[in-house]
Amino acid sequence: MADNNDKINIRLELHDTELFVTIPRDEEELTRAAGKLINETVNWYYDRFHLERGEKEILYMALLNIALRLERSMQLHDEEPYVDMMQKLTSEIETALKKKK
């Protein structure tokens, strides 16, 4: 875990809110990119729906969009199906080798 010397304070502007956060120094670029993603997503929904929907609902729509992206990404990088497949293949190979003996 990083000590306080490895942390920095940064300011992010998220939609209409100024947010001050203390983060590990090596996560600054990632944190700023996350802030940019939030702003881009909120702005996209706001541009399209601000006449029909309230701000809170627009923020939740943006939040859902980002959460769906995260879930899709996690599914794409889920190794469990591959581990299961490798275990089954290993078992079948072992069974086939035993039959040849």
Side-chain angles (χ1 to χ4, degrees):
M1 182 167 195
D3 61 23
N4 284 338
N5 293 333
D6 292 337
K7 294 189 177 194
I8 59 172
N9 297 314
I10 63 171
R11 179 181 64 85
L12 297 173
E13 290 184 36
L14 301 176
H15 185 53
D16 63 354
T17 301
E18 190 173 55
L19 183 67
F20 294 91
V21 294
T22 302
I23 58 168
R25 186 174 299 280
D26 61 349
E27 290 187 5
E28 179 181 7
E29 186 177 338
L30 188 61
T31 303
R32 291 192 186 280
K36 182 179 178 185
L37 173 63
I38 290 168
N39 285 327
E40 289 172 351
T41 306
V42 170
N43 289 340
W44 188 90
Y45 280 98
Y46 190 82
D47 289 345
R48 283 155 184 79
F49 299 107
H50 73 278
L51 296 176
E52 300 121 33
R53 308 284 175 111
E55 185 170 347
K56 184 176 178 180
E57 191 172 358
I58 290 170
L59 291 174
Y60 281 121
M61 291 165 68
L63 181 63
L64 179 61
N65 178 287
I66 292 169
L68 283 168
R69 292 183 201 184
L70 174 63
E71 286 295 324
R72 285 186 191 115
S73 177
M74 289 172 58
Q75 284 181 354
L76 289 175
H77 295 96
D78 183 10
E79 296 177 4
E80 188 175 332
Y82 301 109
V83 170
D84 290 344
M85 183 184 311
M86 291 301 293
Q87 288 174 340
K88 288 177 186 174
L89 287 172
T90 300
S91 176
E92 289 177 16
I93 290 169
E94 288 174 348
T95 301
L97 289 174
K98 286 178 185 176
K99 288 181 181 177
K100 284 191 170 189
K101 287 186 178 182

